[in-house]
Amino acid sequence: METIREKNIRERLAQRWLKIPAQWLKYAAALLMVLSSANTVILKNAVIRLDTYTQESLMAAMDADSQLMGWVGAASIIDALAGLAVPLFAFLLVEGMLHTSDFRRYLLRTAVTAVVGEAAYDFALTGRFLDLSHQSPMLGLLICLIMLYFMGRVEKQPLVDRVILQILLALSGLFWVLLLRVEHGLPVVLMTAVFYCLRDHWVVKLVLALVCSLQYPLAPMSFIALVFYNGKREMKCPPMFFYVLYPAHLLILGVVGRYILA
């Protein structure tokens, strides 16, 4: 259970002027997602054409071409910014699972988005609608949601049994994202498990999740927003918008990158 000290800290923060609802976090995560996809599909693949360089040849080309150096620098900056979205998606997935009124519908929407989004993801990156070399982050979220479902099923077990089972479930999630080569899979599984299993320990869960995000240089900045999260949804647009946005923006970027900028 949440300690008195953690509750006091959370309540003091909630009384401040900055109160961030789930909707703001969703907008931020969606914007960063689109920015990251555009960076990969347009800037890296269509403009810089990173796949045509080795590391050594890219360094030599950058020395000879200042414009190329600028593009590569911009891509690196956007990559760093995109890391801000990873903790947000993990946190929002747990919040959605805890507050949904119909888990089956929530799971179905996520599954459909993951399947359709996988084809769009492969098309945007490779020009094919099926590529098994690596999988989209949305598939990782689906794996995490299934993991959360089973974690919820063991909630009534004795403490020691529950902890052991939840650790095993987290390891199972890690196994699948690593086996399927899901992009951002490992940190998302770890943060999702921490956000869910330690949801009643507000300070501890943020600290541990922050540690899990350290492979992304700027990701810890996302936790500033999570500190001021007010626990409210405040929906201002249809929930389906975010599910449609994922495959739609990948398809659009894929067409632009492969047929307009080619």
Side-chain angles (χ1 to χ4, degrees), residues 1-7 159 162 197-202 204:
M1 295 296 291
E2 185 177 37
T3 66
I4 295 176
R5 183 177 181 182
E6 288 175 326
K7 184 177 180 180
L159 178 61
R162 183 175 76 244
C197 296
L198 298 174
R199 61 189 181 278
D200 293 327
H201 302 276
W202 190 77
V204 177

Side-chain angles (χ1 to χ4, degrees), residues 53-71:
Y53 294 98
T54 63
Q55 185 174 1
E56 293 76 13
S57 64
L58 178 62
M59 296 300 295
M62 289 169 58
D63 290 337
D65 187 342
S66 60
Q67 185 178 29
L68 176 62
M69 181 180 294
W71 286 125

Side-chain angles (χ1 to χ4, degrees), residues 12-13 20 28 33 45 62 85 90 95 121 168 170 177 209 212 258:
R12 284 199 299 270
L13 287 171
I20 300 179
M33 175 187 69
N45 292 357
M62 289 169 58
E95 286 296 298
Y121 177 82
L168 291 174
V177 296
C212 295
R258 297 200 162 269

Side-chain angles (χ1 to χ4, degrees), residues 1 3 16 29 116 156 165 197 234 248 255 261:
M1 295 296 291
T3 66
R16 296 185 180 183
V116 177
K156 296 182 179 180
L165 289 171
C197 296
E234 297 187 10
V255 170
L261 297 179

